[in-house]
Amino acid sequence: MNFLYPFIFLLFGTYSVLAQAKATVEYGVVYDLSHISEELKMKYPEFVEMQREQKTKESELTFLLDINGRKSLFYHPMIDENDQALWLLFVDAGGKHVFYTDVKKKRVFEQFEYWNKKIEIETPTDENPWEFTDEKKKIQNYLCYKAVKKSANNVDGKSKNKVEAWFTEDIPLNFGPRGYSGLPGLILELKENHMTYYVKKINFNNDVQVDYPKFKGEKMTLEQFLEAAPSIKQKAKQMIINSRG
Amino acid sequence: MYMLRHFYFAVFFLFITTASSQNIKVEGYVVNDEKKSLEGATVIFSNTTSDQKNFTTTDENGFFRIFLADETMVNLKVTFIGYEPAILTLQNLSEEIAVTLKEIAEPLDEIKLDYIPEPIIVKRDTITFDVSKFVDGEEFKMIHILEKLPGISIVGNQVLVQGKEVKKVLVEGDAFFQGNTTFAIENIPAEVISKIEVIDDYNEVEFLRRLTDNDATVINVKLKEDKQHFYFGETKLGYGNDNFFNLKNDYIKYSKQTQFAVVGAINNTSNPLDNIVNLLLENPSETTSELNRSLFNWAFQDKFYKENLQTGLGVSFKHKIKENSQLSLTALYKNQTDKKEKFSFREYLNPLEALREESFEKQENTFNNLIFNITYSHYFNDNETLLINSFMDFTENKKNLRYNSIITRNSDLEINEFEESEKLYFNNSISYFKKFNEKITTTVNFNYYGNSKLNNDEYTANEILFTDFFNGELFHQKVRDESATVKISGEFFYTVFKNFIVDFKINAANQSGLASLKLSSPFGETFSSFENNLNIQTGNTSTGISYSHKRFNLYSSINLGAVNTTFSRENFISPLFKVSYKKSVEKEISLKYEYIVRPVSLFEMRDFAYVKNQNTLSIGNPYIKPVKYHLFDFNYYLSDFASGITFFGKAVYLNYAQFVLTENQFENQKNTENSYSTNLDREELTLQIVLGKVLDKVKLNLSPQWNFSNYPQQTEKIEIRNKNSRIRLRLNGETLFKQFPNLKLSFTHTLNSFKNEFTSRDYNVSQISLGIFKNSKRITYGVNYAYSKSSNVLLDNIHHFSFKTIYNFPDSRWSVFVEAENLLEESFYTSQFVTDIAITEQQISRIPRNIIAGISFKF
């Protein structure tokens, strides 16, 4: 009869549903340059120089994570496109992507523009479960535990890296950067590929609303997108060539 | 009805499947004190016996449902932003749980975290550096990363972590080839490294780590996920002035399954063949093992040659045969032909008559060395390990020496010496480790090692060399030294309870040797011959207890033993006491007292004399007794790596109860040395502090050290008491610029004082070394200047200037280089006190100035 409890509770309970956790979390980024290979250094010195220039712009990026109840939105406000190094870092850090997470629906929606085409990728939140490790560390006064999971394939479809998340049970917000959620506390630090996102500030005193962001993009799964990506890219390149006559 | 039955079956199946892993369903709801449901509250279940946790979040009705693995998960923690956490211990998991959270009276408006992602994680026995936070992408090899990490310094061939020497480098938990630190840091490409772990109290056998007193510090390299195997190689050819040349070829391949290296070099510039020898050399500072002593000769040779042609080749192969066994084979070969010239000024501290000697030495050597090493390790399971090692070292040496000297009273002396020597050393060992259960662990070790050494010398002199020894001006001396040792040892550990361990150790060794000497004329006529059969048997048992409480550890043991030789027997009792407090690798304090008994070497016990060198006749003593001393060792670490602060303090005091005193008797310029056991007071003290700080763009390291020794000496039957003091102050600094060239500075000032009843001398030496370095994608360069100045009038000032530059062609594996050294000075001076003889040597045959240009290809 246990399965009836929620119904009984709903029907006869005198409780009302009101209290929801609300917060806005600000994340900074650290760009890891150690992946630059010897070969790359020798072949493309200008590219390497630009990567270094990008690193100097880290402090100018602040991602926002809005949380309301069991919904969250992760994004970065638009920046000045004229600063080339900052813009490239912004793009590399996923600044053009918006992540909307709905725990109730168990869905993450990633919205972005790929070669002038608007795309929305829908992924189940529980598709790729977290693996808990026994590693822990203190981030300031917060005891953090480490959890890892396989990284979702990025646009080039080649990423096999693990995502490392450091979360704390002391801040009971079950979200983190880039649509990652499902840990028993806020993700204070998240490392994916060459980018590390870390919490700079949490604001509890704002009445933040989180709703599904309207976006007229083509809806597809990650697999569908990875399959379609080369032709989208090719088509866009062709259009650019055509427009130049 | 039929449909309904199928529905029930489906539901039943669903429950069974879930129950197989998570079989206890728990439900409840979370409200606040106003009975409002809390959506998104975190609900965590745990038990007290493990770290296992299950968690879920509440839905929009405040309701939660979770399936737990077992009934012990009765500890419940419910949290929600703005509310006090509720922590409960549940009595009954089957009942619905109602949790009411109480609002925090003054909730926080915001939290500010003033940090960037932690690049250093410090635990009790491990420090982990996240490499990505320290590098700028310009690093080529692991050494360039280590130079940027706080608390780590590289001094000569040593890697030091807050003053502690790193004994081994591992990659993903397994030794990189034999684990040599220099080989690893100079070869592992920077681009493959994800994390650097410094592991303290390391033991190769993991289950012994908490049982034995391990003081080894090692570095473990964690590789990036996509760089789990890598290879690199380089062929380098250079040619310069006066036919100087340098040819080098390295190929090194790493995967978790197989490690393979072929390294070879030929040069006449005396560039050390360290990349070859480091395939096998265990640890730069370990001079105790015969293997290391042998390898030292060719890894860290000086450059005091007039000419030197050397060839070296090393091959190493390490392979995991199965998941649980590993085989490692290494072979090294070296051939060297060299010429040396040296001027020496010797002052014999003869209390009866001051004696000075100026001498000139010219030497030609040919040296061949072949070394084999095989290691097999088998891990039966996590609790049982077998290690088998076999090592062989064969050396052949030919020396042709011409020695001229002018002494205070006498006329010129001229000696010609031709020496041929052969040496074979072998060592076979089997070690077995087993942890029977949580209480009992044992180790057994069997070791069989030995050496055979034959020296064949021919001396020609214009006068009688040692009148009492041999009445002639031309003679042959053939010295043979052979020994074999069998050693068996075992350890037994009993864990009474978690923090209380009792250990019992037993050791037995039998060392047998043959020492012989034959003196003959050049025509084969034997004048005299001696032969000694020598024996040393040692045995001891030790019982110890170890007790830990939180961060404190106490270890105490008592060792009962005996050393038997042909003519003497020594029984001894030696206690050991160690107390330590360790919070982490950064913060530790320890104090150790030990009474140590160490048998002398077998060859010291021979009862005949032989010509050690053209100045010294050495006479052995069969009655010689073991060396005994009290050791006090105090260490203090107080560092904060995150803030870049390193502090390390050390004090070591040795007080000898019994030691081997060498008596010197001078006759003209010749010295006859005779050793015997004595209990005359002898003491040694070392105090050292290392203080390091990493600022934003500068890494600084200051290390003052004081050595003091007070020891007796017997000369011409007169006892002299020597007091030797050395205060050394060293400052190392380097800049950490990312885009500009970096500066390295090293300054050392040493105050030396030597006193006895007859003489006293004080002098100081200052050395400064300045370097400018830059690693970049196109051009890498380094310029180094060293200057040394001494107050000792016998020592000249030294200038040393060298540079190195490499240009990498864009989009190519080719590069060109120019290297130069000894640009300012071709002679070199050293000064040392060898107990009773003050020697100043001018190494006039340093390899001359050389500038070499060449090409390199990386593959």
Side-chain angles (χ1 to χ4, degrees), chain A residues 2-3 5-6 9-10 14-23 30-39 41-46 48-49 52-53 55-56 68-70 103-104 132 134-142 145-146 160-162 164 166 169-174 182-185 188-189 191 196-205, chain B residues 25 27 29 31-32 34-42 44 51 53 55-63 65 77 79-81 83 94-96 108-118 121 123 130-133 135-141 189-195 224-227 738-739 776-778 808-814 858:
Chain A
N2 282 356
F3 69 95
Y5 282 143
F9 169 75
L10 275 177
T14 55
Y15 313 129
S16 54
V17 181
L18 271 174
Q20 288 178 319
K22 288 178 186 174
V30 171
Y31 186 32
D32 172 10
L33 292 182
S34 65
H35 65 284
I36 301 173
S37 68
E38 289 303 309
E39 203 165 352
K41 278 181 213 167
M42 284 200 290
K43 278 189 175 174
Y44 308 106
E46 295 77 17
V48 176
E49 204 48 55
R52 248 179 236 120
E53 181 70 20
K55 188 162 173 65
T56 63
N68 186 327
R70 295 200 292 163
V103 174
K104 188 181 170 187
F132 292 88
D134 57 0
E135 283 183 60
K136 49 191 168 187
K137 69 173 179 183
K138 270 205 160 181
I139 294 179
Q140 296 213 326
N141 289 325
Y142 297 97
Y145 297 90
K146 184 177 162 185
K160 288 173 187 170
N161 289 346
K162 275 184 180 171
E164 280 181 22
W166 290 91
E169 291 176 6
D170 299 339
I171 305 175
L173 299 166
N174 315 111
L183 289 166
L188 293 190
E189 195 179 306
K191 187 175 179 184
T196 303
Y197 303 82
Y198 65 98
V199 169
K200 295 203 279 195
K201 198 164 101 177
I202 309 164
N203 186 355
F204 300 107
N205 199 22
Chain B
K25 186 172 78 171
E27 291 175 332
Y29 52 89
V31 294
N32 66 8
E34 292 171 8
K35 304 290 182 204
K36 287 175 185 169
S37 307
L38 297 178
E39 180 188 0
T42 306
I44 304 169
D51 289 338
K53 285 179 182 175
F55 73 95
T56 186
T57 52
T58 54
D59 64 12
E60 63 272 26
N61 301 312
F63 176 77
R65 176 184 292 151
K77 183 178 166 189
T79 51
F80 191 79
I81 284 295
Y83 288 81
S94 60
E95 285 180 8
E96 190 187 44
L108 282 173
D109 284 348
E110 66 173 30
I111 296 171
K112 268 190 181 172
L113 297 182
D114 184 20
Y115 93 112
I116 55 160
E118 192 61 83
I121 301 170
K123 293 184 189 170
D130 186 346
V131 166
S132 64
K133 309 298 185 307
V135 299
D136 60 6
E138 293 284 22
E139 300 75 13
F140 289 102
K141 299 289 182 188
E191 64 184 12
V192 304
I193 302 172
S194 154
K195 289 189 173 74
K224 289 179 183 166
E225 297 243 344
D226 56 343
K227 305 275 186 190
K738 292 190 174 175
Q739 287 169 340
S776 80
K777 57 210 170 282
R778 281 282 163 81
N808 299 306
F809 290 102
D811 201 11
S812 167
R813 295 178 182 278
W814 291 94
K858 290 188 181 72

Side-chain angles (χ1 to χ4, degrees), chain B residues 383-428:
Chain B
N383 299 324
E384 197 177 1
T385 303
L386 176 74
L387 296 175
I388 301 173
N389 179 253
S390 185
F391 162 69
M392 198 231 24
D393 173 2
F394 178 73
T395 311
E396 186 189 69
N397 197 15
K398 281 182 188 168
K399 180 170 89 176
N400 202 338
L401 182 131
R402 191 187 174 91
Y403 183 82
N404 289 292
S405 88
I406 302 167
I407 56 167
T408 322
R409 293 181 318 188
N410 288 28
S411 55
D412 291 3
L413 170 74
E414 187 180 318
I415 300 170
N416 288 304
E417 183 195 349
F418 178 72
E419 180 190 308
E420 276 183 323
S421 67
E422 280 179 10
K423 188 182 147 196
L424 174 71
Y425 177 82
F426 66 90
N427 190 341
N428 299 308

